[in-house]
Amino acid sequence: MAQQDTRRFLKAATALVAGLVLAACGKQEVPPAPAETASAPASAPAPAPAKVYTVGTDAAYAPFEFQNEKGEIVGLSVDLLTAVAEKGGFQVKFVNTPWEGIFNALGQGDRDLLISSITITDERKQTMDFSDPYFDAFQLIAVKESSKISKFDDLKKLKVGVQTGTTGDEVVTKLQGKTATTIKRFESTPLALKELEAGGVDAVVADNGVVIHYVANNPGSKFKTVSDKAFAPEQYGIAVKKGNTELLGLINKGLAAVKADGTYAAIYKKTFGTEPPAAAPAASAASN
């Protein structure tokens, strides 16, 4: 009997051990928890919008800056500065600003920069800073086709129209004297040229680009132009408030880029129908 009980005990024990072995063999390994992944970096902050600078321009000086039939300010100056701003990483907003108050507007901070066919001069450099030159200019005389005027000195005792405060005003004043009553001053060069057409003056002295554009686009006026070597070469620049080196750097950066990639040449050709001439010597001390 004891032997039989022993066998039963051994049989049960054997079965139990076998069951434990099978259970162990059938156990599923629990995979280790995946390592915690690093969180994705935060999105880079959106770049700050380009700063918008207010530009003063006397929009009465075709083909450089003028208003079209929609009242929009257009011209070489607008096309150029828009391209310069894109290359320099800033934006511009053009505001029509009368010539008589344009420099005060810059000095008082009402305008951030000026582009208005402004000649770079030593006198102006004392109160404002200029970009690198962007246009070579000189004075030109407009007269009627029947006029006998052939040189600047012929204007010494004649009635001459000029735009107030420009190079034309300065050189004619120097020729005729500060007290001369034969100098007729106007708010814009086109007004002076209208006076020439009406016979109110014998000649008009103004920047070459403006005179050439007016004569070409107003054939009914029957004007011709007279050049004179007595007129010193001039260069236009973009003006900023004295000491604004940050903005001046952006402008010069953009200006260099548009000159290098052909944008300037394309704008010049669009305006005048020809390629820009070779660069002129350094700016003279005349005023716009």
Side-chain angles (χ1 to χ4, degrees):
M1 186 72 175
Q3 186 177 11
Q4 186 176 4
D5 289 340
T6 301
R7 287 178 179 174
R8 287 177 179 173
F9 173 78
L10 292 173
K11 184 177 180 181
T14 301
L16 177 60
V17 172
L20 290 172
V21 172
L22 289 173
C25 291
K27 183 180 179 181
Q28 295 292 326
E29 290 278 336
V30 179
E36 187 174 346
T37 56
S39 58
S43 300
K51 185 171 181 180
V52 180
Y53 292 99
T54 302
V55 183
T57 187
D58 179 20
Y61 216 64
F64 296 97
E65 49 273 341
F66 61 100
Q67 291 180 297
N68 62 16
E69 61 279 359
K70 297 180 181 179
E72 300 165 329
I73 301 175
V74 296
L76 181 146
S77 298
V78 177
D79 291 344
L80 176 63
L81 186 53
T82 299
V84 166
E86 183 178 350
K87 298 289 187 181
F90 59 97
Q91 296 182 9
V92 288
K93 178 180 70 174
F94 294 90
V95 179
N96 193 3
T97 308
W99 179 258
E100 290 79 3
I102 202 167
F103 298 119
N104 283 338
L106 179 67
Q108 294 170 2
D110 296 329
R111 303 290 183 268
D112 297 308
L113 64 149
L114 307 175
I115 185 167
S116 196
S117 306
I118 303 169
T119 301
I120 302 169
T121 73
D122 290 338
E123 181 180 358
R124 287 176 179 162
K125 285 179 180 180
Q126 295 176 17
T127 56
M128 65 194 78
D129 290 331
F130 283 97
S131 70
D132 295 331
Y134 68 87
F135 188 84
D136 299 325
F138 54 88
Q139 293 303 293
L140 196 61
I141 304 167
V143 296
K144 289 188 174 181
E145 288 180 346
S146 58
S147 175
K148 302 296 184 182
I149 294 170
S150 61
K151 58 185 182 299
F152 182 51
D153 197 57
D154 291 341
L155 305 181
K156 198 162 189 176
K157 297 182 179 180
L158 300 179
K159 292 181 181 178
V160 183
V162 298
Q163 181 177 346
T164 303
T166 62
T167 301
D169 187 354
E170 183 173 311
V171 297
V172 174
T173 298
K174 186 175 180 180
L175 176 71
Q176 295 192 356
K178 292 182 178 180
T179 60
T181 58
T182 48
I183 304 173
K184 298 194 68 173
R185 296 177 173 88
F186 299 85
E187 291 182 1
S188 71
T189 297
L191 287 176
L193 291 164
K194 285 290 185 184
E195 186 71 3
L196 175 61
E197 186 176 355
V201 294
D202 300 299
V204 169
V205 177
D207 287 5
N208 60 312
V210 179
V211 172
I212 291 170
H213 181 269
Y214 189 94
V215 171
N217 287 276
N218 295 274
S221 299
K222 298 188 182 301
F223 290 161
K224 66 180 180 180
T225 61
V226 177
S227 59
D228 194 310
K229 292 182 179 179
F231 295 131
E234 306 165 23
Q235 291 180 308
Y236 295 164
I238 302 166
V240 302
K241 193 171 184 178
K242 192 72 177 175
N244 193 346
T245 55
E246 179 182 359
L247 177 55
L248 192 63
L250 295 177
I251 292 170
N252 281 332
K253 172 186 173 183
L255 189 57
V258 299
K259 286 180 177 180
D261 69 7
T263 300
Y264 176 82
I267 292 170
Y268 188 101
K269 189 170 184 177
K270 170 188 170 184
T271 305
F272 296 105
T274 61
E275 297 290 336
S284 71
S287 47
N288 177 3

